Amino acid sequence: VDANPRVEWHCTYCTWLPELDSSWIQGLKRPDGAEVFDLRFNSTVMIGPDGERIQLGRGYGRLNSSAIRSSMISTLRAGQGDLVEGVVSQVEHGEGYTQVKTTQGHTHRAKCVVDASGHYTSQLDLAPGPHRRWQCFVGETLRCPQPHGYDLGTAVIFDWRRAHEGEDGLPPTFAYVLPMDEHTVMVEETVLMADEKVPLDAIQVRLEGRKKLMGIEGAEVVG
């Protein structure tokens, strides 16, 4: 069930290269033979709160979201599955099945339902079970007027340096830094885990501080 099946995914998804290089996802038929990863980094590093750099020794990559989305839809249809346009309003669990209702008045039943609606989901708030934790983040792709200075072959997975002044009441945050070319870099400020959802506008303030710390506060936001 998708509110707008024709819209491309807007989020950025990344993982360690070995986790997908030999996985089932490589078997999906992708348009024009597109690669699973559209960015690959052979080196990864963590930056500690004191600025110490620690090599992590694993490759990292950004998923080609457009190609994977197209592949999954093609695989779904090849297996006689349906991509339904709608918005889920209610999830009900029965004996051996789960029932999903949409705001359009339709009901769909399945053995397993996966909620992939992201930060603003309301369904998890309604479900019983253990107390949940939240990971929250805000990212931007930036075009810098001067070279940003980051190694194009290295992904910064955790930059734990403090990037804000004073106390704002938020949990600790870190940054992902993925250089795309000499002038373009993706920076994402992330709350690794919190008891409650952290407002995204508050994380945006942290991100502005991160850009200042990196010396790219004048960069143009292009994505």
Side-chain angles (χ1 to χ4, degrees):
V1 180
D2 193 332
N4 194 336
R6 291 166 293 281
V7 173
E8 295 285 342
W9 293 343
H10 69 279
C11 291
T12 299
Y13 304 99
C14 302
T15 190
W16 303 108
L17 296 179
E19 292 186 352
L20 293 186
D21 271 345
S22 58
S23 77
W24 62 270
I25 203 168
Q26 294 287 353
L28 293 177
K29 184 178 179 181
R30 297 182 297 280
D32 302 321
E35 294 290 335
V36 169
F37 293 101
D38 59 10
L39 276 180
R40 284 177 171 264
F41 302 92
N42 293 325
S43 175
T44 49
V45 66
M46 182 188 79
I47 304 176
D50 58 357
E52 179 187 7
R53 298 176 68 89
I54 300 173
Q55 296 294 329
L56 301 180
R58 299 185 73 189
Y60 196 71
R62 185 182 70 178
L63 295 178
N64 186 340
S65 296
S66 178
I68 293 176
R69 176 183 175 276
S70 296
S71 299
M72 287 185 169
I73 291 174
S74 297
T75 302
L76 173 73
R77 289 172 174 162
Q80 298 184 339
D82 294 321
L83 182 59
V84 179
E85 184 168 353
V87 176
V88 174
S89 59
Q90 189 173 359
V91 177
E92 298 176 346
H93 301 290
E95 186 66 36
Y97 71 92
T98 296
Q99 189 166 271
V100 171
K101 295 182 178 181
T102 71
T103 55
Q104 289 74 20
H106 302 298
T107 299
H108 306 277
R109 181 177 290 193
K111 291 183 178 180
C112 178
V113 172
V114 178
D115 182 356
S117 51
H119 183 83
Y120 294 105
T121 180
S122 61
Q123 302 307 318
L124 284 176
D125 295 337
L126 304 176
H131 184 71
R132 291 164 176 82
R133 303 295 188 270
W134 299 92
Q135 183 176 105
C136 309
F137 48 88
V138 174
E140 294 177 345
T141 300
L142 304 166
R143 182 71 179 171
C144 307
Q146 302 297 325
H148 49 65
Y150 281 83
D151 179 6
L152 298 184
T154 300
V156 178
I157 305 300
F158 303 103
D159 183 348
W160 283 106
R161 293 178 296 168
R162 183 182 175 92
H164 62 285
E165 299 177 358
E167 296 299 329
D168 55 13
L170 297 187
T173 57
F174 66 91
Y176 291 99
V177 182
L178 305 181
M180 301 168 68
D181 59 43
E182 290 185 351
H183 288 268
T184 310
V185 60
M186 195 202 83
V187 184
E188 182 181 283
E189 196 74 13
T190 302
V191 175
L192 184 61
M193 183 167 32
D195 289 336
E196 305 293 338
K197 293 180 184 178
V198 178
L200 298 186
D201 56 353
I203 301 177
Q204 179 71 50
V205 174
R206 287 272 184 100
L207 178 59
E208 297 303 319
R210 181 72 59 186
K211 291 190 286 186
K212 184 176 181 180
L213 178 66
M214 295 170 59
I216 57 172
E217 62 269 32
E220 177 188 2
V221 179
V222 295

